[in-house]
Amino acid sequence: MVQKTKKGGKFSPGKEATPTPNPKPWPNLPPRLTSLIAIQPSLMQNITALGGTTKSWRVAPACYRKLDDKPRMPQLVEINATDYKRPQHSHKIDVSFHEKYFFFYYKRRSYQYRDPWIYFKGYSHGQLVAMSCDLSKCCLREPEGKCTRYLPCWDCNLPFKFATLSSSPKDWKFPTKYTKLSSLPKHQYGCNVMVLTGICSPAFAFFRLGKDQKGWIVENCTLTEPYALNQHMQFTNAIGFQGKFYALSLQGSLAVIEDIDSRFQITARGANRAVPSVVSRQFREYLLESNGEIFLVFLISRKSVNVVDDVEVFRLDICKLLWVKVESLGDMMFFVEDECCMSLSASKVGCRGNCIYFTHHRVKDWWVFDMETCCISPTSGPNIEFTKSPMWDELMEQ
């Protein structure tokens, strides 16, 4: 289903990027949350994605009408698709991590990612994917631990949309002579890194961490897109979960990618199309993990592309590979914005539960969608009101 591709001159080499004078802060979360992350860095594990994808209908959804007795699917296009070979903005970590000492004294350690690791290309399972100025070198960084894992050099002839990891570093286990591979769960065999290019050929690049692999495995996707005529799948979004990759195509198809018999293969496809259930002019999609499940959030613009009119949440039924609409999040709340997605327990943080907090069009102000009332309301600018948080009390008692 996926096959290796040859390195060619289809793309011109990317030019060396120039760091911006004012690096963009990351993660762009409310100040109270970044303060919690500073004291308890393990909360970084709750951040499961780096941004979303904006899509629009090429033709009106009414095209579901039969023409010449042949039903035709509406097509989707990606809006504001950037040149993935030329990053536009360098970044800095906007969290002053604390190191706890006796007598409840916290020592700040704040730093920025300077040259060469300044461009963020993904965040998955506590690992930040960063690229260098010349766009050829990349690595994995742990923001709270300053641990670096170097990845093979990237071919500047290929676009680099973003990267994700198949599993958490805490689960990485590699078989030894005392441990048989068959005795470990599949998601504990190690960890794989997947890069999406945003095009069909090549579609992916893979690297096995902890294995004797010299470079990236670059592959095409030859599967036909079921929601488009005479097109191959073109993937624009993905998430790593329990050793596998779950990727969404531009047209809303789901593909499961696994490392089997030393080959990366698409082993299954989704049962339904990942699109909003309501008519819209444009929508933005976010994939994130929460409580051991995969969720898909849609910010929907019905009348104007400058306004979010509705929000929908879907949960992936892993067994059936079916997207099921979610009516309530219970005590959970989601934060979604251009370069960060996060899920948290509202009662522990001291915030409104059963809500989706989001930003739109790179504006720092946050909006909130109440899942119970289905109403959207503004928050207090870039800040969000928090009550007294039990998490704060637990941290101070430790």
Side-chain angles (χ1 to χ4, degrees), residues 1 16 22 66 144 164 252 274 283 285 337 379:
M1 295 183 185
E16 183 169 338
N22 296 314
K66 290 185 177 182
E144 71 275 16
T164 184
F283 62 89
E285 65 182 27
E337 64 101 25
T379 63

PDB file of all heavy atoms in Angstrom, residues 1 16 22 66 144 164 252 274 283 285 337 379:
ATOM      1  N   MET A   1       0.809  -1.208   0.000  1.00  0.00           N
ATOM      2  CA  MET A   1       0.000   0.000   0.000  1.00  0.00           C
ATOM      3  C   MET A   1       0.845   1.262   0.000  1.00  0.00           C
ATOM      4  O   MET A   1       0.424   2.297  -0.468  1.00  0.00           O
ATOM      5  CB  MET A   1      -0.941   0.001   1.200  1.00  0.00           C
ATOM      6  CG  MET A   1      -1.988  -1.106   1.150  1.00  0.00           C
ATOM      7  SD  MET A   1      -3.126  -1.008   2.530  1.00  0.00           S
ATOM      8  CE  MET A   1      -4.076  -2.484   2.269  1.00  0.00           C
ATOM      9  N   GLU A  16      18.201  28.763   2.991  1.00  0.00           N
ATOM     10  CA  GLU A  16      18.477  28.837   4.422  1.00  0.00           C
ATOM     11  C   GLU A  16      17.593  29.890   5.048  1.00  0.00           C
ATOM     12  O   GLU A  16      17.457  30.998   4.546  1.00  0.00           O
ATOM     13  CB  GLU A  16      19.945  29.183   4.652  1.00  0.00           C
ATOM     14  CG  GLU A  16      20.307  29.200   6.125  1.00  0.00           C
ATOM     15  CD  GLU A  16      21.799  29.279   6.334  1.00  0.00           C
ATOM     16  OE1 GLU A  16      22.538  28.908   5.411  1.00  0.00           O
ATOM     17  OE2 GLU A  16      22.202  29.713   7.421  1.00  0.00           O
ATOM     18  N   ASN A  22      11.969  38.455  16.759  1.00  0.00           N
ATOM     19  CA  ASN A  22      11.169  38.185  17.953  1.00  0.00           C
ATOM     20  C   ASN A  22      10.564  36.786  17.832  1.00  0.00           C
ATOM     21  O   ASN A  22       9.493  36.627  17.233  1.00  0.00           O
ATOM     22  CB  ASN A  22      10.061  39.227  18.112  1.00  0.00           C
ATOM     23  CG  ASN A  22      10.615  40.618  18.330  1.00  0.00           C
ATOM     24  OD1 ASN A  22      11.524  40.811  19.133  1.00  0.00           O
ATOM     25  ND2 ASN A  22      10.084  41.595  17.601  1.00  0.00           N
ATOM     26  N   LYS A  66     -27.616  13.926  -7.113  1.00  0.00           N
ATOM     27  CA  LYS A  66     -27.207  13.019  -8.167  1.00  0.00           C
ATOM     28  C   LYS A  66     -27.218  13.757  -9.505  1.00  0.00           C
ATOM     29  O   LYS A  66     -28.200  14.385  -9.878  1.00  0.00           O
ATOM     30  CB  LYS A  66     -28.135  11.806  -8.231  1.00  0.00           C
ATOM     31  CG  LYS A  66     -27.978  10.864  -7.034  1.00  0.00           C
ATOM     32  CD  LYS A  66     -28.820   9.629  -7.207  1.00  0.00           C
ATOM     33  CE  LYS A  66     -28.609   8.669  -6.047  1.00  0.00           C
ATOM     34  NZ  LYS A  66     -29.394   7.437  -6.217  1.00  0.00           N
ATOM     35  N   GLU A 144      11.284  20.106  29.204  1.00  0.00           N
ATOM     36  CA  GLU A 144      11.490  20.185  30.644  1.00  0.00           C
ATOM     37  C   GLU A 144      12.799  19.563  31.074  1.00  0.00           C
ATOM     38  O   GLU A 144      13.311  19.860  32.151  1.00  0.00           O
ATOM     39  CB  GLU A 144      10.321  19.526  31.392  1.00  0.00           C
ATOM     40  CG  GLU A 144      10.248  18.020  31.297  1.00  0.00           C
ATOM     41  CD  GLU A 144       9.539  17.546  30.053  1.00  0.00           C
ATOM     42  OE1 GLU A 144       9.361  18.346  29.112  1.00  0.00           O
ATOM     43  OE2 GLU A 144       9.178  16.361  30.010  1.00  0.00           O
ATOM     44  N   THR A 164       5.371  13.439  14.033  1.00  0.00           N
ATOM     45  CA  THR A 164       4.741  12.898  15.227  1.00  0.00           C
ATOM     46  C   THR A 164       5.414  11.594  15.592  1.00  0.00           C
ATOM     47  O   THR A 164       6.056  10.950  14.760  1.00  0.00           O
ATOM     48  CB  THR A 164       3.226  12.685  15.009  1.00  0.00           C
ATOM     49  OG1 THR A 164       2.617  12.249  16.227  1.00  0.00           O
ATOM     50  CG2 THR A 164       2.971  11.646  13.937  1.00  0.00           C
ATOM     51  N   GLY A 252     -10.476  13.601   4.231  1.00  0.00           N
ATOM     52  CA  GLY A 252     -11.131  13.091   5.438  1.00  0.00           C
ATOM     53  C   GLY A 252     -11.079  11.595   5.613  1.00  0.00           C
ATOM     54  O   GLY A 252     -11.811  11.042   6.446  1.00  0.00           O
ATOM     55  N   ALA A 274     -14.126  11.851   7.944  1.00  0.00           N
ATOM     56  CA  ALA A 274     -13.891  12.772   9.050  1.00  0.00           C
ATOM     57  C   ALA A 274     -14.149  14.203   8.582  1.00  0.00           C
ATOM     58  O   ALA A 274     -13.230  14.938   8.201  1.00  0.00           O
ATOM     59  CB  ALA A 274     -12.464  12.628   9.569  1.00  0.00           C
ATOM     60  N   PHE A 283     -13.641  24.851   7.840  1.00  0.00           N
ATOM     61  CA  PHE A 283     -13.491  24.313   9.186  1.00  0.00           C
ATOM     62  C   PHE A 283     -12.017  24.035   9.435  1.00  0.00           C
ATOM     63  O   PHE A 283     -11.211  23.872   8.510  1.00  0.00           O
ATOM     64  CB  PHE A 283     -14.330  23.041   9.382  1.00  0.00           C
ATOM     65  CG  PHE A 283     -13.962  21.886   8.504  1.00  0.00           C
ATOM     66  CD1 PHE A 283     -13.002  20.958   8.894  1.00  0.00           C
ATOM     67  CD2 PHE A 283     -14.583  21.702   7.278  1.00  0.00           C
ATOM     68  CE1 PHE A 283     -12.663  19.897   8.085  1.00  0.00           C
ATOM     69  CE2 PHE A 283     -14.255  20.638   6.447  1.00  0.00           C
ATOM     70  CZ  PHE A 283     -13.294  19.729   6.852  1.00  0.00           C
ATOM     71  N   GLU A 285      -9.490  21.468  11.747  1.00  0.00           N
ATOM     72  CA  GLU A 285      -9.524  20.203  12.466  1.00  0.00           C
ATOM     73  C   GLU A 285      -8.295  20.045  13.350  1.00  0.00           C
ATOM     74  O   GLU A 285      -7.194  20.465  12.995  1.00  0.00           O
ATOM     75  CB  GLU A 285      -9.607  19.032  11.480  1.00  0.00           C
ATOM     76  CG  GLU A 285      -8.384  18.892  10.591  1.00  0.00           C
ATOM     77  CD  GLU A 285      -8.503  17.751   9.598  1.00  0.00           C
ATOM     78  OE1 GLU A 285      -9.632  17.402   9.228  1.00  0.00           O
ATOM     79  OE2 GLU A 285      -7.447  17.217   9.190  1.00  0.00           O
ATOM     80  N   GLU A 337      -5.398  25.410  19.621  1.00  0.00           N
ATOM     81  CA  GLU A 337      -4.967  26.635  18.938  1.00  0.00           C
ATOM     82  C   GLU A 337      -4.011  26.261  17.822  1.00  0.00           C
ATOM     83  O   GLU A 337      -3.777  25.081  17.578  1.00  0.00           O
ATOM     84  CB  GLU A 337      -4.353  27.630  19.932  1.00  0.00           C
ATOM     85  CG  GLU A 337      -3.099  27.184  20.617  1.00  0.00           C
ATOM     86  CD  GLU A 337      -1.854  27.793  19.993  1.00  0.00           C
ATOM     87  OE1 GLU A 337      -1.935  28.863  19.378  1.00  0.00           O
ATOM     88  OE2 GLU A 337      -0.790  27.170  20.118  1.00  0.00           O
ATOM     89  N   THR A 379     -13.687  34.839  26.390  1.00  0.00           N
ATOM     90  CA  THR A 379     -13.103  34.851  27.725  1.00  0.00           C
ATOM     91  C   THR A 379     -12.489  36.219  27.962  1.00  0.00           C
ATOM     92  O   THR A 379     -12.638  37.135  27.160  1.00  0.00           O
ATOM     93  CB  THR A 379     -12.029  33.762  27.868  1.00  0.00           C
ATOM     94  OG1 THR A 379     -10.965  34.030  26.952  1.00  0.00           O
ATOM     95  CG2 THR A 379     -12.611  32.393  27.564  1.00  0.00           C
TER      96      THR A 379
END
